[in-house]
Amino acid sequence: MSKILFVLTGADHWTLADGTKHPTGFWAEEAAAPYEVFTAAGHEVVVATPGGVVPTVDRGSLAPEANGGQEGADRVAAALDSFAALRTPLRLEDVDLAEYDAVFYPGGHGPMEDLAVNADSGRLLVDALASGKPLAVVCHGPAALLAAVREDGTNAFAGRRVTAFTDAEETQAGLADKAKWLLETRLREAGVDVVAGEPWAPHVIVDDNLVTGQNPASSTALAKEVLKKLA
C-alpha cells in the first residue's frame, strides 16, 4: 500500500481583474475520481492545505451539467462524502515529503488564488519533482507550478512537458476576459512546455515522474497513470 498526498487549495474564491471575488475552491471530480481510483487499489490518501484549512468545494462542480447529468453529480457527491480526509487536512507547512510515495494536486480555480504564490507548496513541488516519486497535477492545479522556483530564480518545471487547463477552455468557460492572468499563458512564460489537447477532452501527458491532466475529464486517466508508476 502506498501513501498519497493530496495538496488542495485553501481558497474559497478567485480574485478577478476588476477585484471581484469569484466563488470557487477545488473541483469536485478532480479530487473525487482520483481518490476513488487510488483507494480502490488499496492506497491511503492524506490531504494537506495551506494552513490546514478545510478545503472548499466549488459549488459549480457539483452541478448536474458539470458531471454529465444528475447521476454523475450524485456519484461525485457521494465520493466526496466518503472522502473523510478532506475534513481533517494537515497543514501544508508541516508536510514531510519523505512520508509519502506520491503527490497529487487537484484543480479548480482556487489554486490560481493561493497555490500559485505559495512558497511552501513551491518547495514541496521542487522536491517532489527531484525525488522521482510520482507527481500528478490536473486542470488548474498546475497554477501551483508557478511557485516552484529554485534558489537561482528559475522555475523547476521549465522545459518539462505538461498539460493544463488551456486558454481556449478558459475562454469557452466565459472567464478568460475577466481573469488577471491565464494559466496556459503564464506557464509558457515560465518556460514550461505546455502541450494542449482538444478542449474538454481527456488529455494526459507523462514526462518521467511528472503526470499532468488538462481538465476534469482527464482526472481518472491521470490517476491510472499514477497507479502504473506505483506498481
Side-chain angles (χ1 to χ4, degrees), residues 65-172:
E65 53 268 28
N67 293 284
Q70 189 61 52
E71 183 178 340
D74 291 343
R75 186 175 63 251
V76 165
L80 287 185
D81 192 53
S82 69
F83 193 168
L86 284 173
R87 297 183 283 279
T88 57
L90 303 177
R91 282 169 33 93
L92 178 59
E93 298 84 344
D94 300 333
V95 163
D96 180 358
L97 178 63
E99 297 179 4
Y100 303 94
D101 301 290
V103 177
F104 171 57
Y105 277 67
H109 280 106
M112 302 278 281
E113 184 73 20
D114 63 349
L115 297 181
V117 294
N118 185 288
D120 295 297
S121 172
R123 283 190 290 271
L124 176 67
L125 285 165
V126 171
D127 293 344
L129 186 66
S131 74
K133 296 178 181 183
L135 170 60
V137 195
V138 68
C139 200
H140 286 90
L145 307 188
L146 297 170
V149 180
R150 299 190 184 97
E151 291 184 7
D152 64 2
T154 61
N155 190 287
F157 293 85
R160 301 301 292 263
R161 298 177 72 248
V162 311
T163 190
F165 200 71
T166 63
D167 293 357
E169 287 167 318
E170 202 73 83
T171 299
Q172 291 174 22

Side-chain angles (χ1 to χ4, degrees), residues 200-227:
W200 312 109
H203 181 58
V204 173
I205 293 291
V206 180
D207 183 347
D208 195 22
N209 63 314
L210 177 62
V211 184
T212 51
Q214 180 170 314
N215 46 38
S218 308
S219 302
T220 297
L222 175 142
K224 290 179 178 178
E225 287 292 340
V226 173
L227 285 187

Side-chain angles (χ1 to χ4, degrees), residues 5-69:
L5 177 69
F6 275 41
V7 180
L8 272 73
T9 176
D12 62 5
H13 68 275
W14 176 32
T15 305
L16 302 178
D18 66 359
T20 60
K21 295 182 178 180
H22 176 72
T24 186
F26 71 90
W27 197 260
E29 181 180 4
E30 295 167 24
Y35 169 77
E36 289 187 310
V37 170
F38 295 146
T39 55
H43 302 306
E44 178 187 357
V45 171
V46 176
V47 172
T49 64
V53 302
V54 176
T56 298
V57 63
D58 188 312
R59 303 307 300 178
S61 70
L62 297 173
E65 53 268 28
N67 293 284

